[in-house]
Amino acid sequence: MLAARLSPHLQSLTQTCPAIARQFVPSSKEENNADDCSFIDPLLEEEYTVTRGLVHKYGNRALLLLTMNCAAYCRFCTRRRKVSDIKKGLLTDKDIKNIIVYLKKHPLIKEIIVSGGDPLTVPTTLKKVLSQLTKLPQIKIIRIGTRVHVAEPSLVNENLLKILRIVKKQPLYLMVHFEHPSEITPAT
């Protein structure tokens, strides 16, 4: 079962918007599919995991699962089997080294999608990874998937922006995931 986590920012949004509440507040309906195996790994990421934290499903791109931590836990999460198990999902320096070794051995990988959990919740690890990825000449695009702007906008601060500025040669795309118009607030 996916743990519940709501930031103070989201807590206030759930009070005024039922649609946002349904995204983050646990419901008994979640138990209905508990025995259905099709919901365990709907994107087949386990099958394509080549080293801890790296999913290589498509030839020219790879998915780097930086953490299983999030600022809030979305009830619709496709990685609910892993997310919220923070210690188990924490990449070590050895894991990062193995990822870089794999990428060097697979020069056709041109794009990295950094996701998780939410990579913006672990700035120190994000800094280590971006520092390594930017040194690989084959990597032409870096994307970071996040909902931190929705869940806890205060985490987007000058330190985080400084870390993102490590990427200078490649385009860096920040893919901010919104589910409902009411998530777009002045803080966001």
PDB file of all heavy atoms in Angstrom, residues 162-181:
ATOM      1  N   LYS A 162      20.637  26.483  -8.895  1.00  0.00           N
ATOM      2  CA  LYS A 162      22.090  26.391  -9.088  1.00  0.00           C
ATOM      3  C   LYS A 162      22.479  24.992  -9.568  1.00  0.00           C
ATOM      4  O   LYS A 162      23.310  24.838 -10.463  1.00  0.00           O
ATOM      5  CB  LYS A 162      22.797  26.727  -7.769  1.00  0.00           C
ATOM      6  CG  LYS A 162      24.284  26.740  -7.843  1.00  0.00           C
ATOM      7  CD  LYS A 162      24.891  27.120  -6.497  1.00  0.00           C
ATOM      8  CE  LYS A 162      26.390  27.046  -6.542  1.00  0.00           C
ATOM      9  NZ  LYS A 162      26.994  27.351  -5.233  1.00  0.00           N
ATOM     10  N   ILE A 163      21.856  23.983  -8.997  1.00  0.00           N
ATOM     11  CA  ILE A 163      22.130  22.599  -9.406  1.00  0.00           C
ATOM     12  C   ILE A 163      21.702  22.388 -10.853  1.00  0.00           C
ATOM     13  O   ILE A 163      22.428  21.778 -11.641  1.00  0.00           O
ATOM     14  CB  ILE A 163      21.440  21.608  -8.447  1.00  0.00           C
ATOM     15  CG1 ILE A 163      22.119  21.655  -7.082  1.00  0.00           C
ATOM     16  CG2 ILE A 163      21.438  20.193  -9.011  1.00  0.00           C
ATOM     17  CD1 ILE A 163      21.357  20.981  -5.967  1.00  0.00           C
ATOM     18  N   LEU A 164      20.539  22.885 -11.231  1.00  0.00           N
ATOM     19  CA  LEU A 164      20.064  22.722 -12.604  1.00  0.00           C
ATOM     20  C   LEU A 164      20.986  23.427 -13.608  1.00  0.00           C
ATOM     21  O   LEU A 164      21.119  22.991 -14.753  1.00  0.00           O
ATOM     22  CB  LEU A 164      18.638  23.227 -12.743  1.00  0.00           C
ATOM     23  CG  LEU A 164      17.578  22.469 -11.926  1.00  0.00           C
ATOM     24  CD1 LEU A 164      16.221  23.129 -12.070  1.00  0.00           C
ATOM     25  CD2 LEU A 164      17.521  21.004 -12.313  1.00  0.00           C
ATOM     26  N   ARG A 165      21.645  24.488 -13.172  1.00  0.00           N
ATOM     27  CA  ARG A 165      22.558  25.227 -14.054  1.00  0.00           C
ATOM     28  C   ARG A 165      23.838  24.446 -14.366  1.00  0.00           C
ATOM     29  O   ARG A 165      24.632  24.884 -15.196  1.00  0.00           O
ATOM     30  CB  ARG A 165      22.896  26.584 -13.435  1.00  0.00           C
ATOM     31  CG  ARG A 165      21.754  27.561 -13.497  1.00  0.00           C
ATOM     32  CD  ARG A 165      22.189  28.947 -13.002  1.00  0.00           C
ATOM     33  NE  ARG A 165      21.018  29.753 -12.745  1.00  0.00           N
ATOM     34  CZ  ARG A 165      20.590  30.121 -11.527  1.00  0.00           C
ATOM     35  NH1 ARG A 165      21.262  29.769 -10.449  1.00  0.00           N
ATOM     36  NH2 ARG A 165      19.507  30.842 -11.397  1.00  0.00           N
ATOM     37  N   ILE A 166      24.034  23.301 -13.720  1.00  0.00           N
ATOM     38  CA  ILE A 166      25.171  22.435 -14.053  1.00  0.00           C
ATOM     39  C   ILE A 166      25.090  22.023 -15.514  1.00  0.00           C
ATOM     40  O   ILE A 166      26.111  21.864 -16.189  1.00  0.00           O
ATOM     41  CB  ILE A 166      25.192  21.188 -13.134  1.00  0.00           C
ATOM     42  CG1 ILE A 166      25.547  21.594 -11.716  1.00  0.00           C
ATOM     43  CG2 ILE A 166      26.144  20.118 -13.655  1.00  0.00           C
ATOM     44  CD1 ILE A 166      25.371  20.470 -10.694  1.00  0.00           C
ATOM     45  N   VAL A 167      23.876  21.859 -16.003  1.00  0.00           N
ATOM     46  CA  VAL A 167      23.670  21.433 -17.394  1.00  0.00           C
ATOM     47  C   VAL A 167      23.843  22.659 -18.287  1.00  0.00           C
ATOM     48  O   VAL A 167      23.020  23.569 -18.261  1.00  0.00           O
ATOM     49  CB  VAL A 167      22.271  20.803 -17.586  1.00  0.00           C
ATOM     50  CG1 VAL A 167      22.105  20.320 -19.018  1.00  0.00           C
ATOM     51  CG2 VAL A 167      22.058  19.661 -16.600  1.00  0.00           C
ATOM     52  N   LYS A 168      24.926  22.664 -19.053  1.00  0.00           N
ATOM     53  CA  LYS A 168      25.222  23.809 -19.903  1.00  0.00           C
ATOM     54  C   LYS A 168      25.212  23.462 -21.391  1.00  0.00           C
ATOM     55  O   LYS A 168      24.795  24.251 -22.208  1.00  0.00           O
ATOM     56  CB  LYS A 168      26.587  24.393 -19.529  1.00  0.00           C
ATOM     57  CG  LYS A 168      26.632  24.990 -18.134  1.00  0.00           C
ATOM     58  CD  LYS A 168      27.959  25.651 -17.877  1.00  0.00           C
ATOM     59  CE  LYS A 168      28.182  26.196 -16.503  1.00  0.00           C
ATOM     60  NZ  LYS A 168      27.134  26.494 -15.637  1.00  0.00           N
ATOM     61  N   LYS A 169      25.692  22.280 -21.745  1.00  0.00           N
ATOM     62  CA  LYS A 169      25.836  21.915 -23.161  1.00  0.00           C
ATOM     63  C   LYS A 169      24.561  21.322 -23.750  1.00  0.00           C
ATOM     64  O   LYS A 169      24.238  21.557 -24.902  1.00  0.00           O
ATOM     65  CB  LYS A 169      26.984  20.908 -23.327  1.00  0.00           C
ATOM     66  CG  LYS A 169      28.335  21.469 -22.965  1.00  0.00           C
ATOM     67  CD  LYS A 169      29.404  20.403 -23.090  1.00  0.00           C
ATOM     68  CE  LYS A 169      30.717  20.896 -22.527  1.00  0.00           C
ATOM     69  NZ  LYS A 169      31.714  19.838 -22.482  1.00  0.00           N
ATOM     70  N   GLN A 170      23.852  20.535 -22.971  1.00  0.00           N
ATOM     71  CA  GLN A 170      22.646  19.865 -23.453  1.00  0.00           C
ATOM     72  C   GLN A 170      21.422  20.712 -23.120  1.00  0.00           C
ATOM     73  O   GLN A 170      21.415  21.442 -22.140  1.00  0.00           O
ATOM     74  CB  GLN A 170      22.472  18.491 -22.780  1.00  0.00           C
ATOM     75  CG  GLN A 170      23.613  17.544 -22.948  1.00  0.00           C
ATOM     76  CD  GLN A 170      24.638  17.616 -21.814  1.00  0.00           C
ATOM     77  OE1 GLN A 170      24.748  18.603 -21.112  1.00  0.00           O
ATOM     78  NE2 GLN A 170      25.399  16.553 -21.663  1.00  0.00           N
ATOM     79  N   PRO A 171      20.373  20.555 -23.932  1.00  0.00           N
ATOM     80  CA  PRO A 171      19.103  21.143 -23.505  1.00  0.00           C
ATOM     81  C   PRO A 171      18.613  20.424 -22.243  1.00  0.00           C
ATOM     82  O   PRO A 171      18.752  19.203 -22.140  1.00  0.00           O
ATOM     83  CB  PRO A 171      18.153  20.863 -24.668  1.00  0.00           C
ATOM     84  CG  PRO A 171      18.990  20.422 -25.808  1.00  0.00           C
ATOM     85  CD  PRO A 171      20.274  19.919 -25.237  1.00  0.00           C
ATOM     86  N   LEU A 172      18.100  21.182 -21.312  1.00  0.00           N
ATOM     87  CA  LEU A 172      17.532  20.625 -20.086  1.00  0.00           C
ATOM     88  C   LEU A 172      16.050  20.963 -20.085  1.00  0.00           C
ATOM     89  O   LEU A 172      15.670  22.138 -20.117  1.00  0.00           O
ATOM     90  CB  LEU A 172      18.205  21.216 -18.850  1.00  0.00           C
ATOM     91  CG  LEU A 172      17.597  20.825 -17.504  1.00  0.00           C
ATOM     92  CD1 LEU A 172      17.773  19.333 -17.239  1.00  0.00           C
ATOM     93  CD2 LEU A 172      18.207  21.644 -16.380  1.00  0.00           C
ATOM     94  N   TYR A 173      15.219  19.927 -20.088  1.00  0.00           N
ATOM     95  CA  TYR A 173      13.772  20.111 -20.062  1.00  0.00           C
ATOM     96  C   TYR A 173      13.251  19.723 -18.695  1.00  0.00           C
ATOM     97  O   TYR A 173      13.512  18.619 -18.234  1.00  0.00           O
ATOM     98  CB  TYR A 173      13.096  19.249 -21.130  1.00  0.00           C
ATOM     99  CG  TYR A 173      13.484  19.625 -22.531  1.00  0.00           C
ATOM    100  CD1 TYR A 173      14.467  18.917 -23.219  1.00  0.00           C
ATOM    101  CD2 TYR A 173      12.858  20.693 -23.184  1.00  0.00           C
ATOM    102  CE1 TYR A 173      14.824  19.262 -24.508  1.00  0.00           C
ATOM    103  CE2 TYR A 173      13.208  21.045 -24.469  1.00  0.00           C
ATOM    104  CZ  TYR A 173      14.191  20.326 -25.130  1.00  0.00           C
ATOM    105  OH  TYR A 173      14.547  20.666 -26.404  1.00  0.00           O
ATOM    106  N   LEU A 174      12.530  20.621 -18.075  1.00  0.00           N
ATOM    107  CA  LEU A 174      11.872  20.328 -16.813  1.00  0.00           C
ATOM    108  C   LEU A 174      10.415  20.021 -17.143  1.00  0.00           C
ATOM    109  O   LEU A 174       9.671  20.894 -17.587  1.00  0.00           O
ATOM    110  CB  LEU A 174      11.977  21.529 -15.877  1.00  0.00           C
ATOM    111  CG  LEU A 174      11.822  21.277 -14.407  1.00  0.00           C
ATOM    112  CD1 LEU A 174      12.869  20.296 -13.897  1.00  0.00           C
ATOM    113  CD2 LEU A 174      11.932  22.575 -13.642  1.00  0.00           C
ATOM    114  N   MET A 175      10.038  18.764 -16.987  1.00  0.00           N
ATOM    115  CA  MET A 175       8.671  18.329 -17.311  1.00  0.00           C
ATOM    116  C   MET A 175       7.844  18.394 -16.034  1.00  0.00           C
ATOM    117  O   MET A 175       7.939  17.510 -15.179  1.00  0.00           O
ATOM    118  CB  MET A 175       8.710  16.908 -17.872  1.00  0.00           C
ATOM    119  CG  MET A 175       9.595  16.759 -19.090  1.00  0.00           C
ATOM    120  SD  MET A 175       9.680  15.090 -19.760  1.00  0.00           S
ATOM    121  CE  MET A 175      10.227  14.124 -18.363  1.00  0.00           C
ATOM    122  N   VAL A 176       7.075  19.458 -15.899  1.00  0.00           N
ATOM    123  CA  VAL A 176       6.260  19.666 -14.712  1.00  0.00           C
ATOM    124  C   VAL A 176       4.889  19.048 -14.968  1.00  0.00           C
ATOM    125  O   VAL A 176       4.220  19.382 -15.936  1.00  0.00           O
ATOM    126  CB  VAL A 176       6.137  21.159 -14.366  1.00  0.00           C
ATOM    127  CG1 VAL A 176       5.305  21.343 -13.106  1.00  0.00           C
ATOM    128  CG2 VAL A 176       7.516  21.773 -14.184  1.00  0.00           C
ATOM    129  N   HIS A 177       4.505  18.139 -14.105  1.00  0.00           N
ATOM    130  CA  HIS A 177       3.286  17.345 -14.272  1.00  0.00           C
ATOM    131  C   HIS A 177       2.145  17.990 -13.482  1.00  0.00           C
ATOM    132  O   HIS A 177       2.196  18.048 -12.262  1.00  0.00           O
ATOM    133  CB  HIS A 177       3.587  15.932 -13.767  1.00  0.00           C
ATOM    134  CG  HIS A 177       2.430  15.006 -13.793  1.00  0.00           C
ATOM    135  ND1 HIS A 177       2.545  13.696 -13.421  1.00  0.00           N
ATOM    136  CD2 HIS A 177       1.133  15.169 -14.130  1.00  0.00           C
ATOM    137  CE1 HIS A 177       1.372  13.109 -13.512  1.00  0.00           C
ATOM    138  NE2 HIS A 177       0.512  13.988 -13.945  1.00  0.00           N
ATOM    139  N   PHE A 178       1.139  18.458 -14.199  1.00  0.00           N
ATOM    140  CA  PHE A 178      -0.081  18.981 -13.587  1.00  0.00           C
ATOM    141  C   PHE A 178      -1.236  18.061 -13.934  1.00  0.00           C
ATOM    142  O   PHE A 178      -1.296  17.516 -15.035  1.00  0.00           O
ATOM    143  CB  PHE A 178      -0.405  20.392 -14.103  1.00  0.00           C
ATOM    144  CG  PHE A 178       0.558  21.446 -13.667  1.00  0.00           C
ATOM    145  CD1 PHE A 178       1.578  21.858 -14.500  1.00  0.00           C
ATOM    146  CD2 PHE A 178       0.452  22.016 -12.414  1.00  0.00           C
ATOM    147  CE1 PHE A 178       2.478  22.834 -14.100  1.00  0.00           C
ATOM    148  CE2 PHE A 178       1.342  22.994 -12.003  1.00  0.00           C
ATOM    149  CZ  PHE A 178       2.363  23.404 -12.845  1.00  0.00           C
ATOM    150  N   GLU A 179      -2.155  17.885 -13.029  1.00  0.00           N
ATOM    151  CA  GLU A 179      -3.340  17.071 -13.248  1.00  0.00           C
ATOM    152  C   GLU A 179      -4.623  17.895 -13.268  1.00  0.00           C
ATOM    153  O   GLU A 179      -5.620  17.462 -13.802  1.00  0.00           O
ATOM    154  CB  GLU A 179      -3.478  16.004 -12.141  1.00  0.00           C
ATOM    155  CG  GLU A 179      -2.521  14.857 -12.269  1.00  0.00           C
ATOM    156  CD  GLU A 179      -2.853  13.945 -13.443  1.00  0.00           C
ATOM    157  OE1 GLU A 179      -4.039  13.703 -13.723  1.00  0.00           O
ATOM    158  OE2 GLU A 179      -1.909  13.489 -14.089  1.00  0.00           O
ATOM    159  N   HIS A 180      -4.601  19.061 -12.648  1.00  0.00           N
ATOM    160  CA  HIS A 180      -5.827  19.842 -12.504  1.00  0.00           C
ATOM    161  C   HIS A 180      -5.474  21.332 -12.522  1.00  0.00           C
ATOM    162  O   HIS A 180      -4.452  21.724 -11.947  1.00  0.00           O
ATOM    163  CB  HIS A 180      -6.514  19.484 -11.180  1.00  0.00           C
ATOM    164  CG  HIS A 180      -7.911  19.988 -11.075  1.00  0.00           C
ATOM    165  ND1 HIS A 180      -8.198  21.267 -10.649  1.00  0.00           N
ATOM    166  CD2 HIS A 180      -9.104  19.405 -11.358  1.00  0.00           C
ATOM    167  CE1 HIS A 180      -9.504  21.447 -10.661  1.00  0.00           C
ATOM    168  NE2 HIS A 180     -10.069  20.337 -11.088  1.00  0.00           N
ATOM    169  N   PRO A 181      -6.298  22.170 -13.157  1.00  0.00           N
ATOM    170  CA  PRO A 181      -5.996  23.607 -13.219  1.00  0.00           C
ATOM    171  C   PRO A 181      -5.826  24.259 -11.847  1.00  0.00           C
ATOM    172  O   PRO A 181      -5.058  25.215 -11.707  1.00  0.00           O
ATOM    173  CB  PRO A 181      -7.198  24.204 -13.949  1.00  0.00           C
ATOM    174  CG  PRO A 181      -7.862  23.077 -14.635  1.00  0.00           C
ATOM    175  CD  PRO A 181      -7.505  21.827 -13.902  1.00  0.00           C
TER     176      PRO A 181
END
